[in-house]
Amino acid sequence: MNQTTKPRRTQAERSAATKAKILDAAQSLITKRGLAHTSTQDIAEEANVSRGAMLHHFPSRNVLIRAAYADVLQREVTLVRDFARTLPPGRVKLKELTYYIWERYQSGVFHVSMDYISEARVNTEELNYVSVESQKFNDALNDVWHIELAAFGCDPELRQAMMNEFMCLVRGMAFQSQWRKEPEYFHKMLRDWLSRAQDILVPDFTAR
């Protein structure tokens, strides 16, 4: 009787898997506890790897924290891009994208970003790094926004201005939601913005 033997992973594959486990653990703990209350030892234990294995991939806390921040933003970009591909044509596209981005901002990405910014704000080099990675995230969201809404025929500069306004609104709501647990309060602001945005961005669009 033939038996199928699972092929052994290469060293590169094992190394990549270990690195991914460490980044997953770091992001999970930072989201739950906050950056200030997450140590490298905590991360190693959460990932179930030795401290030596972690140091092999990330020789310092600073290197690990930077990598985790870049990775969490990239994951969010991937989620938004994948979601956008499922959107149907027509005015509903703007509504669905609006609410999905707000949903993602409530999932922890904003809170993690605030932790990184708070820790980096007194260190010029770290703040520059956070700024660069955050800009990559913003640029990616802008790409999705422009691609998905271009069919409505609105002016690109106006479209960008509305996106900037929306992102400022979402960030402000995410910050305030830390102590104000009133979902309807935030949903009303989203509805008000969406109503105005639809009139401005898609006033004459008819799905074919």
Side-chain angles (χ1 to χ4, degrees):
M1 181 177 178
N2 293 331
Q3 291 184 337
T4 302
T5 303
K6 186 176 181 179
R8 295 184 63 183
R9 293 187 300 174
T10 65
Q11 177 60 37
E13 289 172 334
R14 292 195 298 271
S15 179
T18 299
K19 189 174 181 179
K21 281 175 59 178
I22 295 168
L23 289 175
D24 285 344
Q27 292 166 15
S28 175
L29 289 177
I30 292 167
T31 299
K32 289 187 292 187
R33 301 180 181 179
L35 188 56
H37 300 288
T38 300
S39 69
T40 52
Q41 184 61 41
D42 294 333
I43 295 170
E45 291 175 359
E46 180 77 8
N48 195 29
V49 301
S50 69
R51 186 169 177 77
M54 188 173 70
L55 291 174
H56 173 72
H57 294 285
F58 305 102
S60 69
R61 182 178 186 273
N62 186 49
V63 171
L64 173 54
I65 293 306
R66 282 186 172 195
Y69 184 59
D71 190 61
V72 73
L73 293 184
Q74 183 55 54
R75 291 186 188 202
E76 288 299 319
V77 167
T78 299
L79 286 171
V80 173
R81 288 192 191 281
D82 288 347
F83 175 79
R85 294 190 184 101
T86 71
L87 294 175
R91 289 172 65 97
V92 70
K93 181 178 291 190
L94 177 59
K95 177 181 178 181
E96 293 295 329
L97 194 56
T98 295
Y99 279 94
Y100 185 73
I101 292 175
W102 168 235
E103 177 186 319
R104 294 311 309 160
Y105 261 74
Q106 294 180 89
S107 71
V109 62
F110 175 77
H111 313 130
V112 170
S113 295
M114 288 298 292
D115 268 2
Y116 278 88
I117 292 169
S118 177
E119 184 163 297
R121 69 183 179 83
V122 294
N123 183 311
T124 301
E125 182 181 350
E126 288 305 305
L127 188 58
N128 286 339
Y129 177 81
V130 169
S131 297
V132 169
E133 293 303 320
S134 297
Q135 189 59 53
K136 290 178 185 177
F137 175 70
N138 291 339
D139 289 344
L141 286 186
N142 284 339
D143 286 344
V144 172
W145 178 266
H146 285 297
I147 290 170
E148 296 305 323
L149 301 185
F152 298 133
C154 52
D155 177 74
E157 291 187 4
L158 179 58
R159 192 162 64 229
Q160 184 62 58
M162 292 301 295
M163 180 59 171
N164 293 343
E165 181 181 307
F166 171 65
M167 292 309 300
C168 286
L169 173 65
V170 166
R171 292 184 183 112
M173 292 195 304
F175 181 75
Q176 194 176 19
S177 69
Q178 297 306 291
W179 67 86
R180 187 162 188 168
K181 308 300 181 182
E182 300 176 47
E184 182 53 34
Y185 170 77
F186 299 112
H187 287 157
K188 182 181 185 304
M189 285 193 284
L190 280 179
R191 288 195 301 269
D192 290 345
W193 180 86
L194 183 60
S195 176
R196 187 163 56 85
Q198 287 175 326
D199 289 341
I200 294 172
L201 297 178
V202 293
D204 302 316
F205 180 82
T206 302
R208 293 178 174 82

mmCIF file with all atom_site columns, all heavy atoms in Angstrom, residues 8-30:
data_model
loop_
_atom_site.group_PDB
_atom_site.id
_atom_site.type_symbol
_atom_site.label_atom_id
_atom_site.label_alt_id
_atom_site.label_comp_id
_atom_site.label_asym_id
_atom_site.label_entity_id
_atom_site.label_seq_id
_atom_site.pdbx_PDB_ins_code
_atom_site.Cartn_x
_atom_site.Cartn_y
_atom_site.Cartn_z
_atom_site.occupancy
_atom_site.B_iso_or_equiv
_atom_site.pdbx_formal_charge
_atom_site.auth_seq_id
_atom_site.auth_comp_id
_atom_site.auth_asym_id
_atom_site.auth_atom_id
_atom_site.pdbx_PDB_model_num
ATOM 1   N N   . ARG A 1 8  ? 8.986  17.538 3.088  1.00 0.00 ? 8  ARG A N   1
ATOM 2   C CA  . ARG A 1 8  ? 9.565  18.359 4.138  1.00 0.00 ? 8  ARG A CA  1
ATOM 3   C C   . ARG A 1 8  ? 9.748  19.787 3.652  1.00 0.00 ? 8  ARG A C   1
ATOM 4   O O   . ARG A 1 8  ? 10.105 20.032 2.498  1.00 0.00 ? 8  ARG A O   1
ATOM 5   C CB  . ARG A 1 8  ? 10.921 17.791 4.570  1.00 0.00 ? 8  ARG A CB  1
ATOM 6   C CG  . ARG A 1 8  ? 10.840 16.421 5.214  1.00 0.00 ? 8  ARG A CG  1
ATOM 7   C CD  . ARG A 1 8  ? 12.198 15.972 5.688  1.00 0.00 ? 8  ARG A CD  1
ATOM 8   N NE  . ARG A 1 8  ? 12.714 16.867 6.716  1.00 0.00 ? 8  ARG A NE  1
ATOM 9   C CZ  . ARG A 1 8  ? 13.926 16.742 7.266  1.00 0.00 ? 8  ARG A CZ  1
ATOM 10  N NH1 . ARG A 1 8  ? 14.735 15.777 6.867  1.00 0.00 ? 8  ARG A NH1 1
ATOM 11  N NH2 . ARG A 1 8  ? 14.321 17.582 8.206  1.00 0.00 ? 8  ARG A NH2 1
ATOM 12  N N   . ARG A 1 9  ? 9.479  20.708 4.547  1.00 0.00 ? 9  ARG A N   1
ATOM 13  C CA  . ARG A 1 9  ? 9.654  22.106 4.184  1.00 0.00 ? 9  ARG A CA  1
ATOM 14  C C   . ARG A 1 9  ? 11.134 22.451 4.088  1.00 0.00 ? 9  ARG A C   1
ATOM 15  O O   . ARG A 1 9  ? 11.964 21.906 4.814  1.00 0.00 ? 9  ARG A O   1
ATOM 16  C CB  . ARG A 1 9  ? 8.984  23.016 5.220  1.00 0.00 ? 9  ARG A CB  1
ATOM 17  C CG  . ARG A 1 9  ? 7.477  22.895 5.241  1.00 0.00 ? 9  ARG A CG  1
ATOM 18  C CD  . ARG A 1 9  ? 6.866  23.939 6.152  1.00 0.00 ? 9  ARG A CD  1
ATOM 19  N NE  . ARG A 1 9  ? 7.319  23.812 7.529  1.00 0.00 ? 9  ARG A NE  1
ATOM 20  C CZ  . ARG A 1 9  ? 7.014  24.677 8.509  1.00 0.00 ? 9  ARG A CZ  1
ATOM 21  N NH1 . ARG A 1 9  ? 6.257  25.725 8.250  1.00 0.00 ? 9  ARG A NH1 1
ATOM 22  N NH2 . ARG A 1 9  ? 7.463  24.481 9.731  1.00 0.00 ? 9  ARG A NH2 1
ATOM 23  N N   . THR A 1 10 ? 11.431 23.375 3.210  1.00 0.00 ? 10 THR A N   1
ATOM 24  C CA  . THR A 1 10 ? 12.809 23.837 3.093  1.00 0.00 ? 10 THR A CA  1
ATOM 25  C C   . THR A 1 10 ? 13.145 24.740 4.266  1.00 0.00 ? 10 THR A C   1
ATOM 26  O O   . THR A 1 10 ? 12.255 25.199 5.004  1.00 0.00 ? 10 THR A O   1
ATOM 27  C CB  . THR A 1 10 ? 13.008 24.628 1.793  1.00 0.00 ? 10 THR A CB  1
ATOM 28  O OG1 . THR A 1 10 ? 12.216 25.834 1.862  1.00 0.00 ? 10 THR A OG1 1
ATOM 29  C CG2 . THR A 1 10 ? 12.580 23.813 0.580  1.00 0.00 ? 10 THR A CG2 1
ATOM 30  N N   . GLN A 1 11 ? 14.419 25.005 4.443  1.00 0.00 ? 11 GLN A N   1
ATOM 31  C CA  . GLN A 1 11 ? 14.846 25.902 5.509  1.00 0.00 ? 11 GLN A CA  1
ATOM 32  C C   . GLN A 1 11 ? 14.234 27.286 5.337  1.00 0.00 ? 11 GLN A C   1
ATOM 33  O O   . GLN A 1 11 ? 13.821 27.919 6.306  1.00 0.00 ? 11 GLN A O   1
ATOM 34  C CB  . GLN A 1 11 ? 16.380 25.998 5.530  1.00 0.00 ? 11 GLN A CB  1
ATOM 35  C CG  . GLN A 1 11 ? 16.935 26.964 6.562  1.00 0.00 ? 11 GLN A CG  1
ATOM 36  C CD  . GLN A 1 11 ? 16.526 26.588 7.981  1.00 0.00 ? 11 GLN A CD  1
ATOM 37  O OE1 . GLN A 1 11 ? 16.463 25.400 8.320  1.00 0.00 ? 11 GLN A OE1 1
ATOM 38  N NE2 . GLN A 1 11 ? 16.244 27.579 8.814  1.00 0.00 ? 11 GLN A NE2 1
ATOM 39  N N   . ALA A 1 12 ? 14.157 27.731 4.097  1.00 0.00 ? 12 ALA A N   1
ATOM 40  C CA  . ALA A 1 12 ? 13.574 29.050 3.824  1.00 0.00 ? 12 ALA A CA  1
ATOM 41  C C   . ALA A 1 12 ? 12.099 29.089 4.212  1.00 0.00 ? 12 ALA A C   1
ATOM 42  O O   . ALA A 1 12 ? 11.613 30.077 4.767  1.00 0.00 ? 12 ALA A O   1
ATOM 43  C CB  . ALA A 1 12 ? 13.749 29.407 2.352  1.00 0.00 ? 12 ALA A CB  1
ATOM 44  N N   . GLU A 1 13 ? 11.395 27.995 3.932  1.00 0.00 ? 13 GLU A N   1
ATOM 45  C CA  . GLU A 1 13 ? 9.976  27.924 4.280  1.00 0.00 ? 13 GLU A CA  1
ATOM 46  C C   . GLU A 1 13 ? 9.788  27.893 5.792  1.00 0.00 ? 13 GLU A C   1
ATOM 47  O O   . GLU A 1 13 ? 8.881  28.546 6.322  1.00 0.00 ? 13 GLU A O   1
ATOM 48  C CB  . GLU A 1 13 ? 9.345  26.686 3.648  1.00 0.00 ? 13 GLU A CB  1
ATOM 49  C CG  . GLU A 1 13 ? 9.193  26.777 2.133  1.00 0.00 ? 13 GLU A CG  1
ATOM 50  C CD  . GLU A 1 13 ? 8.755  25.483 1.500  1.00 0.00 ? 13 GLU A CD  1
ATOM 51  O OE1 . GLU A 1 13 ? 9.026  24.408 2.092  1.00 0.00 ? 13 GLU A OE1 1
ATOM 52  O OE2 . GLU A 1 13 ? 8.132  25.522 0.418  1.00 0.00 ? 13 GLU A OE2 1
ATOM 53  N N   . ARG A 1 14 ? 10.625 27.130 6.485  1.00 0.00 ? 14 ARG A N   1
ATOM 54  C CA  . ARG A 1 14 ? 10.533 27.087 7.950  1.00 0.00 ? 14 ARG A CA  1
ATOM 55  C C   . ARG A 1 14 ? 10.857 28.443 8.556  1.00 0.00 ? 14 ARG A C   1
ATOM 56  O O   . ARG A 1 14 ? 10.203 28.888 9.513  1.00 0.00 ? 14 ARG A O   1
ATOM 57  C CB  . ARG A 1 14 ? 11.489 26.015 8.502  1.00 0.00 ? 14 ARG A CB  1
ATOM 58  C CG  . ARG A 1 14 ? 11.083 24.591 8.166  1.00 0.00 ? 14 ARG A CG  1
ATOM 59  C CD  . ARG A 1 14 ? 11.822 23.574 9.026  1.00 0.00 ? 14 ARG A CD  1
ATOM 60  N NE  . ARG A 1 14 ? 13.260 23.631 8.816  1.00 0.00 ? 14 ARG A NE  1
ATOM 61  C CZ  . ARG A 1 14 ? 13.899 22.923 7.887  1.00 0.00 ? 14 ARG A CZ  1
ATOM 62  N NH1 . ARG A 1 14 ? 13.211 22.138 7.060  1.00 0.00 ? 14 ARG A NH1 1
ATOM 63  N NH2 . ARG A 1 14 ? 15.213 22.995 7.778  1.00 0.00 ? 14 ARG A NH2 1
ATOM 64  N N   . SER A 1 15 ? 11.848 29.102 7.993  1.00 0.00 ? 15 SER A N   1
ATOM 65  C CA  . SER A 1 15 ? 12.228 30.417 8.492  1.00 0.00 ? 15 SER A CA  1
ATOM 66  C C   . SER A 1 15 ? 11.099 31.427 8.288  1.00 0.00 ? 15 SER A C   1
ATOM 67  O O   . SER A 1 15 ? 10.782 32.219 9.189  1.00 0.00 ? 15 SER A O   1
ATOM 68  C CB  . SER A 1 15 ? 13.495 30.892 7.769  1.00 0.00 ? 15 SER A CB  1
ATOM 69  O OG  . SER A 1 15 ? 13.880 32.172 8.213  1.00 0.00 ? 15 SER A OG  1
ATOM 70  N N   . ALA A 1 16 ? 10.477 31.391 7.108  1.00 0.00 ? 16 ALA A N   1
ATOM 71  C CA  . ALA A 1 16 ? 9.368  32.305 6.816  1.00 0.00 ? 16 ALA A CA  1
ATOM 72  C C   . ALA A 1 16 ? 8.184  32.043 7.741  1.00 0.00 ? 16 ALA A C   1
ATOM 73  O O   . ALA A 1 16 ? 7.520  32.986 8.197  1.00 0.00 ? 16 ALA A O   1
ATOM 74  C CB  . ALA A 1 16 ? 8.945  32.163 5.359  1.00 0.00 ? 16 ALA A CB  1
ATOM 75  N N   . ALA A 1 17 ? 7.925  30.764 8.032  1.00 0.00 ? 17 ALA A N   1
ATOM 76  C CA  . ALA A 1 17 ? 6.806  30.412 8.913  1.00 0.00 ? 17 ALA A CA  1
ATOM 77  C C   . ALA A 1 17 ? 7.057  30.906 10.329 1.00 0.00 ? 17 ALA A C   1
ATOM 78  O O   . ALA A 1 17 ? 6.146  31.420 10.998 1.00 0.00 ? 17 ALA A O   1
ATOM 79  C CB  . ALA A 1 17 ? 6.603  28.895 8.913  1.00 0.00 ? 17 ALA A CB  1
ATOM 80  N N   . THR A 1 18 ? 8.294  30.766 10.796 1.00 0.00 ? 18 THR A N   1
ATOM 81  C CA  . THR A 1 18 ? 8.632  31.244 12.136 1.00 0.00 ? 18 THR A CA  1
ATOM 82  C C   . THR A 1 18 ? 8.498  32.759 12.218 1.00 0.00 ? 18 THR A C   1
ATOM 83  O O   . THR A 1 18 ? 7.955  33.306 13.184 1.00 0.00 ? 18 THR A O   1
ATOM 84  C CB  . THR A 1 18 ? 10.071 30.829 12.506 1.00 0.00 ? 18 THR A CB  1
ATOM 85  O OG1 . THR A 1 18 ? 10.164 29.407 12.494 1.00 0.00 ? 18 THR A OG1 1
ATOM 86  C CG2 . THR A 1 18 ? 10.458 31.347 13.881 1.00 0.00 ? 18 THR A CG2 1
ATOM 87  N N   . LYS A 1 19 ? 8.981  33.432 11.201 1.00 0.00 ? 19 LYS A N   1
ATOM 88  C CA  . LYS A 1 19 ? 8.884  34.893 11.162 1.00 0.00 ? 19 LYS A CA  1
ATOM 89  C C   . LYS A 1 19 ? 7.425  35.348 11.182 1.00 0.00 ? 19 LYS A C   1
ATOM 90  O O   . LYS A 1 19 ? 7.064  36.291 11.901 1.00 0.00 ? 19 LYS A O   1
ATOM 91  C CB  . LYS A 1 19 ? 9.584  35.420 9.910  1.00 0.00 ? 19 LYS A CB  1
ATOM 92  C CG  . LYS A 1 19 ? 9.735  36.920 9.853  1.00 0.00 ? 19 LYS A CG  1
ATOM 93  C CD  . LYS A 1 19 ? 10.569 37.331 8.650  1.00 0.00 ? 19 LYS A CD  1
ATOM 94  C CE  . LYS A 1 19 ? 10.754 38.843 8.611  1.00 0.00 ? 19 LYS A CE  1
ATOM 95  N NZ  . LYS A 1 19 ? 11.596 39.252 7.456  1.00 0.00 ? 19 LYS A NZ  1
ATOM 96  N N   . ALA A 1 20 ? 6.585  34.643 10.418 1.00 0.00 ? 20 ALA A N   1
ATOM 97  C CA  . ALA A 1 20 ? 5.164  34.991 10.373 1.00 0.00 ? 20 ALA A CA  1
ATOM 98  C C   . ALA A 1 20 ? 4.505  34.773 11.731 1.00 0.00 ? 20 ALA A C   1
ATOM 99  O O   . ALA A 1 20 ? 3.672  35.577 12.170 1.00 0.00 ? 20 ALA A O   1
ATOM 100 C CB  . ALA A 1 20 ? 4.454  34.164 9.299  1.00 0.00 ? 20 ALA A CB  1
ATOM 101 N N   . LYS A 1 21 ? 4.864  33.683 12.419 1.00 0.00 ? 21 LYS A N   1
ATOM 102 C CA  . LYS A 1 21 ? 4.320  33.420 13.755 1.00 0.00 ? 21 LYS A CA  1
ATOM 103 C C   . LYS A 1 21 ? 4.678  34.537 14.730 1.00 0.00 ? 21 LYS A C   1
ATOM 104 O O   . LYS A 1 21 ? 3.854  34.956 15.544 1.00 0.00 ? 21 LYS A O   1
ATOM 105 C CB  . LYS A 1 21 ? 4.874  32.094 14.287 1.00 0.00 ? 21 LYS A CB  1
ATOM 106 C CG  . LYS A 1 21 ? 4.215  30.842 13.744 1.00 0.00 ? 21 LYS A CG  1
ATOM 107 C CD  . LYS A 1 21 ? 4.910  29.584 14.246 1.00 0.00 ? 21 LYS A CD  1
ATOM 108 C CE  . LYS A 1 21 ? 4.884  29.502 15.762 1.00 0.00 ? 21 LYS A CE  1
ATOM 109 N NZ  . LYS A 1 21 ? 5.524  28.245 16.257 1.00 0.00 ? 21 LYS A NZ  1
ATOM 110 N N   . ILE A 1 22 ? 5.909  35.002 14.646 1.00 0.00 ? 22 ILE A N   1
ATOM 111 C CA  . ILE A 1 22 ? 6.357  36.071 15.548 1.00 0.00 ? 22 ILE A CA  1
ATOM 112 C C   . ILE A 1 22 ? 5.607  37.368 15.269 1.00 0.00 ? 22 ILE A C   1
ATOM 113 O O   . ILE A 1 22 ? 5.144  38.048 16.193 1.00 0.00 ? 22 ILE A O   1
ATOM 114 C CB  . ILE A 1 22 ? 7.883  36.286 15.409 1.00 0.00 ? 22 ILE A CB  1
ATOM 115 C CG1 . ILE A 1 22 ? 8.633  35.039 15.883 1.00 0.00 ? 22 ILE A CG1 1
ATOM 116 C CG2 . ILE A 1 22 ? 8.334  37.506 16.194 1.00 0.00 ? 22 ILE A CG2 1
ATOM 117 C CD1 . ILE A 1 22 ? 10.110 35.034 15.531 1.00 0.00 ? 22 ILE A CD1 1
ATOM 118 N N   . LEU A 1 23 ? 5.436  37.692 13.994 1.00 0.00 ? 23 LEU A N   1
ATOM 119 C CA  . LEU A 1 23 ? 4.707  38.915 13.639 1.00 0.00 ? 23 LEU A CA  1
ATOM 120 C C   . LEU A 1 23 ? 3.239  38.803 14.052 1.00 0.00 ? 23 LEU A C   1
ATOM 121 O O   . LEU A 1 23 ? 2.652  39.772 14.549 1.00 0.00 ? 23 LEU A O   1
ATOM 122 C CB  . LEU A 1 23 ? 4.820  39.182 12.142 1.00 0.00 ? 23 LEU A CB  1
ATOM 123 C CG  . LEU A 1 23 ? 6.196  39.629 11.638 1.00 0.00 ? 23 LEU A CG  1
ATOM 124 C CD1 . LEU A 1 23 ? 6.191  39.748 10.117 1.00 0.00 ? 23 LEU A CD1 1
ATOM 125 C CD2 . LEU A 1 23 ? 6.601  40.957 12.277 1.00 0.00 ? 23 LEU A CD2 1
ATOM 126 N N   . ASP A 1 24 ? 2.641  37.635 13.855 1.00 0.00 ? 24 ASP A N   1
ATOM 127 C CA  . ASP A 1 24 ? 1.253  37.427 14.282 1.00 0.00 ? 24 ASP A CA  1
ATOM 128 C C   . ASP A 1 24 ? 1.116  37.639 15.791 1.00 0.00 ? 24 ASP A C   1
ATOM 129 O O   . ASP A 1 24 ? 0.180  38.286 16.268 1.00 0.00 ? 24 ASP A O   1
ATOM 130 C CB  . ASP A 1 24 ? 0.789  36.009 13.933 1.00 0.00 ? 24 ASP A CB  1
ATOM 131 C CG  . ASP A 1 24 ? 0.497  35.829 12.462 1.00 0.00 ? 24 ASP A CG  1
ATOM 132 O OD1 . ASP A 1 24 ? 0.356  36.838 11.754 1.00 0.00 ? 24 ASP A OD1 1
ATOM 133 O OD2 . ASP A 1 24 ? 0.413  34.670 12.014 1.00 0.00 ? 24 ASP A OD2 1
ATOM 134 N N   . ALA A 1 25 ? 2.055  37.053 16.539 1.00 0.00 ? 25 ALA A N   1
ATOM 135 C CA  . ALA A 1 25 ? 2.019  37.174 17.997 1.00 0.00 ? 25 ALA A CA  1
ATOM 136 C C   . ALA A 1 25 ? 2.191  38.622 18.435 1.00 0.00 ? 25 ALA A C   1
ATOM 137 O O   . ALA A 1 25 ? 1.492  39.108 19.334 1.00 0.00 ? 25 ALA A O   1
ATOM 138 C CB  . ALA A 1 25 ? 3.107  36.307 18.616 1.00 0.00 ? 25 ALA A CB  1
ATOM 139 N N   . ALA A 1 26 ? 3.119  39.317 17.801 1.00 0.00 ? 26 ALA A N   1
ATOM 140 C CA  . ALA A 1 26 ? 3.364  40.718 18.149 1.00 0.00 ? 26 ALA A CA  1
ATOM 141 C C   . ALA A 1 26 ? 2.118  41.559 17.906 1.00 0.00 ? 26 ALA A C   1
ATOM 142 O O   . ALA A 1 26 ? 1.706  42.359 18.754 1.00 0.00 ? 26 ALA A O   1
ATOM 143 C CB  . ALA A 1 26 ? 4.541  41.255 17.343 1.00 0.00 ? 26 ALA A CB  1
ATOM 144 N N   . GLN A 1 27 ? 1.497  41.380 16.749 1.00 0.00 ? 27 GLN A N   1
ATOM 145 C CA  . GLN A 1 27 ? 0.317  42.165 16.419 1.00 0.00 ? 27 GLN A CA  1
ATOM 146 C C   . GLN A 1 27 ? -0.843 41.852 17.351 1.00 0.00 ? 27 GLN A C   1
ATOM 147 O O   . GLN A 1 27 ? -1.571 42.755 17.774 1.00 0.00 ? 27 GLN A O   1
ATOM 148 C CB  . GLN A 1 27 ? -0.069 41.917 14.966 1.00 0.00 ? 27 GLN A CB  1
ATOM 149 C CG  . GLN A 1 27 ? 0.934  42.466 13.977 1.00 0.00 ? 27 GLN A CG  1
ATOM 150 C CD  . GLN A 1 27 ? 0.733  41.938 12.582 1.00 0.00 ? 27 GLN A CD  1
ATOM 151 O OE1 . GLN A 1 27 ? -0.303 41.364 12.265 1.00 0.00 ? 27 GLN A OE1 1
ATOM 152 N NE2 . GLN A 1 27 ? 1.734  42.108 11.734 1.00 0.00 ? 27 GLN A NE2 1
ATOM 153 N N   . SER A 1 28 ? -1.008 40.579 17.689 1.00 0.00 ? 28 SER A N   1
ATOM 154 C CA  . SER A 1 28 ? -2.089 40.186 18.587 1.00 0.00 ? 28 SER A CA  1
ATOM 155 C C   . SER A 1 28 ? -1.921 40.813 19.970 1.00 0.00 ? 28 SER A C   1
ATOM 156 O O   . SER A 1 28 ? -2.871 41.383 20.528 1.00 0.00 ? 28 SER A O   1
ATOM 157 C CB  . SER A 1 28 ? -2.132 38.660 18.705 1.00 0.00 ? 28 SER A CB  1
ATOM 158 O OG  . SER A 1 28 ? -3.089 38.250 19.655 1.00 0.00 ? 28 SER A OG  1
ATOM 159 N N   . LEU A 1 29 ? -0.715 40.745 20.507 1.00 0.00 ? 29 LEU A N   1
ATOM 160 C CA  . LEU A 1 29 ? -0.479 41.283 21.850 1.00 0.00 ? 29 LEU A CA  1
ATOM 161 C C   . LEU A 1 29 ? -0.556 42.809 21.869 1.00 0.00 ? 29 LEU A C   1
ATOM 162 O O   . LEU A 1 29 ? -1.096 43.399 22.809 1.00 0.00 ? 29 LEU A O   1
ATOM 163 C CB  . LEU A 1 29 ? 0.893  40.828 22.352 1.00 0.00 ? 29 LEU A CB  1
ATOM 164 C CG  . LEU A 1 29 ? 1.003  39.339 22.710 1.00 0.00 ? 29 LEU A CG  1
ATOM 165 C CD1 . LEU A 1 29 ? 2.426  39.007 23.130 1.00 0.00 ? 29 LEU A CD1 1
ATOM 166 C CD2 . LEU A 1 29 ? 0.027  38.961 23.819 1.00 0.00 ? 29 LEU A CD2 1
ATOM 167 N N   . ILE A 1 30 ? -0.011 43.440 20.846 1.00 0.00 ? 30 ILE A N   1
ATOM 168 C CA  . ILE A 1 30 ? -0.040 44.906 20.801 1.00 0.00 ? 30 ILE A CA  1
ATOM 169 C C   . ILE A 1 30 ? -1.481 45.397 20.705 1.00 0.00 ? 30 ILE A C   1
ATOM 170 O O   . ILE A 1 30 ? -1.854 46.394 21.333 1.00 0.00 ? 30 ILE A O   1
ATOM 171 C CB  . ILE A 1 30 ? 0.810  45.433 19.632 1.00 0.00 ? 30 ILE A CB  1
ATOM 172 C CG1 . ILE A 1 30 ? 2.290  45.154 19.912 1.00 0.00 ? 30 ILE A CG1 1
ATOM 173 C CG2 . ILE A 1 30 ? 0.588  46.929 19.425 1.00 0.00 ? 30 ILE A CG2 1
ATOM 174 C CD1 . ILE A 1 30 ? 3.186  45.350 18.708 1.00 0.00 ? 30 ILE A CD1 1
#
